[in-house]
Amino acid sequence: MKKFFLLAAMAGVALTGCVKTESEVAVKSDSNRIVFDNPVVSSVTRALIDGTEYPTDVPFSVYAQYKNDDTGEDLLYMNNVTTEYVTSTPGTNQESWVPEGNYYWPKQGELSFAAYSPTAAQDAFTSVAWTNAAGFTFTGFNAVTNNDATKLYDLMYSDYVANQKQTNEQDYTQYYGIQLTFRHALSALVFKAKTEEDYGADAVIKITKIEVLSPVGSGDLSVTNGTGSRAIWTPGADVASMAVTGVTGTTQLTNTEAQQGNVMLMVPQTFNDETKIKITYTMQMATSVAPVTHTYEKALNSLNESDGASSTTHDGWDASRRYTYNIIIGLDRIYFASTVEDWTDITVTGTID
């Protein structure tokens, strides 16, 4: 084996400095239903959710707190309410995200909102809760079960949108749809691989398994209310290893980079010396010869990472970051240097009769 390169790159997220919380839509109705207007995603994934446009096929869940200074009321108005995209909002014929159960704006007071996505992500936790005073608390997240191909919940939480109300003006309803900005709570890992040269049929190389050794496999998450709030994780216990799903070991590597398996979603964490990447791959030099298996391990904190602007030591995974690991496998050809050991001359003495 000639070379084995493992490089880490990080896709960063630029936090929005000013989050829009109101968007004006003129509608020909006096509907007072609460709807959400074009949620956005603060950059990163969709193998999962990618980019800044929220997908219309992913329900999210909403909490809302009602407060009326005149009456002194301060109470939970929406409690973990599933909200889905509809192409025609009742009474307005507008495309919007509508909470189940037709929630309406109160005539007085104000509403403050927070949401998480997707709704199904609640299955990855022991419990999910929100209060207007403390924000979100997600307990008992299990990264191992979440990375099952049937789940893979890209957990996100929204910025807190405070003190909203509806306003009526003149001959139409001026509706301020609630604009939600979602942020990724987990770390995403992407593995790509290629060969250093185009070996063709002379050397068939296939990756059969990619593992993360000794990662933190669980944790609790809290998010305080406030625009631009960040996820605060309390890590749980380490697990022996986690394998990237979807790595089949059937595709030959070429010198064109290709993603290996699915994206992994991990608990944000700081590495120790035992947190490693382990790659298992086979090499077959000729079709008549059985493939041989190799493994390669690399401590993650021995790598560097770059966000395109600067480079730092790769000492952990942060929330809302996607890390790309580029694997390059190179080979040394086998050569022979031939020499000949000279004869040793022996003289035989005696008489041959």
Side-chain angles (χ1 to χ4, degrees):
M1 184 177 68
K2 181 181 179 183
K3 300 184 186 74
F4 200 116
F5 303 98
L6 182 58
L7 311 174
M10 177 185 69
V13 180
L15 299 181
T16 50
C18 178
V19 177
K20 182 180 178 185
T21 59
E22 298 180 343
S23 56
E24 182 176 310
V25 180
V27 297
K28 298 177 180 178
S29 170
D30 60 355
S31 171
N32 290 320
R33 288 180 174 86
I34 295 174
V35 297
F36 295 86
D37 181 44
N38 300 323
V40 297
V41 180
S42 183
S43 305
V44 182
T45 74
R46 176 169 170 124
L48 310 168
I49 294 176
D50 204 0
T52 59
E53 182 177 351
Y54 192 92
T56 58
D57 60 346
V58 180
F60 55 86
S61 290
V62 176
Y63 293 84
Q65 188 80 9
Y66 171 72
K67 186 175 182 180
N68 188 328
D69 290 336
D70 294 333
T71 64
E73 291 173 297
D74 191 355
L75 53 88
L76 191 62
Y77 197 77
M78 298 174 66
N79 185 13
N80 203 6
V81 178
T82 299
T83 302
E84 297 181 326
Y85 175 82
V86 298
T87 56
S88 180
T89 305
T92 67
N93 295 321
Q94 299 290 313
E95 298 180 9
S96 299
W97 277 258
V98 180
E100 291 182 352
N102 289 327
Y103 283 81
Y104 294 86
W105 285 97
K107 297 298 184 181
Q108 297 176 327
E110 297 173 331
L111 293 176
S112 296
F113 297 90
Y116 70 88
S117 168
T119 293
Q122 61 188 316
D123 295 337
F125 291 87
T126 304
S127 64
V128 179
W130 178 87
T131 67
N132 196 48
F136 280 112
T137 302
F138 301 86
T139 59
F141 176 74
N142 189 318
V144 178
T145 57
N146 186 60
N147 274 287
D148 184 282
T150 61
K151 297 178 181 178
L152 202 64
Y153 300 130
D154 180 10
L155 177 68
M156 298 190 295
Y157 58 91
S158 78
D159 286 342
Y160 180 61
V161 183
N163 307 325
Q164 301 293 293
K165 61 175 63 178
Q166 185 186 37
T167 304
N168 295 315
E169 291 187 2
Q170 299 177 2
D171 60 348
Y172 68 91
T173 298
Q174 185 180 16
Y175 179 79
Y176 291 90
I178 305 305
Q179 181 79 62
L180 296 176
T181 297
F182 285 97
R183 301 177 186 272
H184 298 271
L186 297 166
S187 305
L189 313 186
V190 179
F191 295 88
K192 297 181 179 181
K194 68 177 184 177
T195 54
E196 188 180 19
E197 301 175 21
D198 183 9
Y199 300 116
D202 294 334
V204 177
I205 300 174
K206 300 176 181 179
I207 292 181
T208 58
K209 193 173 187 179
I210 300 174
E211 299 169 88
V212 181
L213 304 182
S214 195
V216 173
S218 60
D220 300 331
L221 168 66
S222 62
V223 182
T224 56
N225 290 330
T227 300
S229 337
R230 300 290 294 176
I232 301 171
W233 282 92
T234 302
D238 292 358
V239 294
S241 67
M242 288 179 59
V244 177
T245 61
V247 178
T248 61
T250 59
T251 303
Q252 178 181 355
L253 292 186
T254 69
N255 62 339
T256 299
E257 188 176 75
Q259 182 170 325
Q260 304 297 302
N262 301 316
V263 176
M264 290 187 80
L265 290 174
M266 303 295 286
V267 174
Q269 58 193 271
T270 299
F271 301 144
N272 58 47
D273 291 340
E274 300 305 314
T275 313
K276 300 178 181 180
I277 295 293
K278 180 179 180 180
I279 299 160
T280 304
Y281 60 101
T282 60
M283 297 167 49
Q284 188 171 14
M285 298 299 103
T287 55
S288 60
V289 178
V292 295
T293 300
H294 294 281
T295 60
Y296 177 84
E297 294 184 10
K298 186 73 171 180
L300 288 176
N301 60 12
S302 69
L303 300 173
N304 293 322
E305 64 183 44
S306 172
D307 60 4
S310 60
S311 181
T312 59
T313 301
H314 186 45
D315 55 6
W317 296 313
D318 293 328
S320 199
R321 299 292 189 270
R322 177 174 55 199
Y323 299 86
T324 300
Y325 295 90
N326 297 307
I327 303 163
I328 305 173
I329 300 177
L331 302 177
D332 263 341
R333 295 182 184 276
I334 297 175
Y335 298 98
F336 296 93
S338 300
T339 61
V340 177
E341 184 178 355
D342 199 7
W343 298 100
T344 299
D345 292 320
I346 304 296
T347 299
V348 178
T349 61
T351 301
I352 299 176
D353 295 330

